[in-house]
Amino acid sequence: MNLRVGFELVFGCSQPTPMLLMLHTHASHANEVLVPDRLLVDPPLPLTHYYDAFGNCCSRLVTPSHGFLTLSNHALLDVAGRPEVAPLDSYQSPVEHLPDECLQFLLGSRYCETDLLSNTAWQMFGNSPLGRPRVQAICDYVHRHVVFDYQQARPTRTAFETWREGVGVCRDYAHLAVALCRAMNIPARYCSGYISDVGLPPPYAPMDFCAWFEAWLGGRWQTFDPRNNAPRTGRVLMARGRDAADVALSNAFGPTPLVKFSVICEPDAGTESLAGRAVASTQQASQATSTS
């Protein structure tokens, strides 16, 4: 299936402000790319790129002194046209056998307070089967426990606060599940990107960037999505990290309010008959600046 992904972000500018951006599809999709993404900047500005410690492609620029800055990006990928299938290997490795690269994803982080949730995690999941069944039990719990509500979203909400308040958006679902997995000695890392609505019945919610997580099982990273808690068709990774602090779409070192944004993730017209959609939403603008 040929899948189009992209966005348009518009920021208000009142002074030259350095910005750090994480707005590209992840290099792990390189073999699926038909038309590569290219970050477009209006007005044209000098733009540099680098890869961070997690392998994410990052961009740097300085905003204009006044007016608006528009960032846009579109790509075409050849992705599987069927729902995700869970890998067969799902055993849970003892901590002493984990690869070195996994150890950082067992530790607490800015939004995932394993110390505050450890006792709760072992009380709820200590008797569940090891491996994928245990991670799925965590996802099932988070999916039931948290009520999705954009109106109550806030960029500072942590996993412990999500557990205590029982409300949030996709990043909060992911943070809580990540923290509970880490508390159970299962490496887990936060992911952000696009998810299409291919195969789902309408009505559709406004398109947005999404968050999920990966757990180390069966000797590989495996995808879990506590917000949707069901296989999806057309999931495209943009960035990975310990939590949302590592994969923010934009970090501005000065006043640059996001005034408008739109996201698209749909089958390419002429190659698929399945309906997709792209809906701009200024109501969600505050969620896109420092979250994923």
Side-chain angles (χ1 to χ4, degrees), residues 195-264:
I195 302 178
S196 81
D197 283 334
V198 169
L200 299 183
Y204 301 118
M207 181 59 72
D208 196 357
F209 295 110
C210 301
W212 59 92
F213 76 99
E214 295 172 341
W216 182 264
L217 298 171
R220 59 180 291 185
W221 291 104
Q222 300 188 19
T223 297
F224 292 87
D225 186 348
R227 162 67 177 101
N228 297 295
N229 208 31
R232 298 295 289 264
T233 301
R235 186 188 302 271
V236 178
L237 178 71
M238 294 175 72
R240 300 185 180 111
R242 291 166 298 185
D243 57 31
D246 290 331
V247 302
L249 298 174
S250 67
N251 279 301
F253 301 90
T256 54
L258 181 63
V259 297
K260 178 185 177 183
F261 90 102
S262 62
V263 177
I264 189 170

Side-chain angles (χ1 to χ4, degrees), residues 33-114:
V33 173
L34 299 176
V35 178
D37 64 0
R38 180 185 177 194
L39 185 58
L40 301 179
V41 182
D42 184 24
L45 296 168
L47 188 69
T48 61
H49 305 284
Y50 72 95
Y51 285 89
D52 68 10
F54 301 103
N56 304 315
C57 182
C58 307
S59 304
R60 299 177 63 179
L61 57 75
V62 178
T63 71
S65 60
H66 63 277
F68 296 97
L69 172 66
T70 300
L71 305 175
S72 61
N73 199 343
H74 292 88
L76 183 65
L77 297 91
D78 182 10
V79 303
R82 58 186 181 278
E84 299 159 321
V85 177
L88 295 178
D89 294 332
S90 62
Y91 62 88
Q92 179 178 333
S93 299
V95 172
E96 61 270 26
H97 294 161
L98 289 170
D100 295 343
E101 68 177 67
C102 291
L103 297 180
Q104 65 179 320
F105 299 108
L106 285 177
L107 307 178
S109 56
R110 163 68 179 88
Y111 289 104
C112 300
E113 313 100 320
T114 53

Side-chain angles (χ1 to χ4, degrees), residues 4 6 206-207 262-266 276-280:
R4 293 192 304 122
M207 181 59 72
S262 62
V263 177
I264 189 170
C265 182
E266 65 178 17
R277 80 278 182 266
V279 180

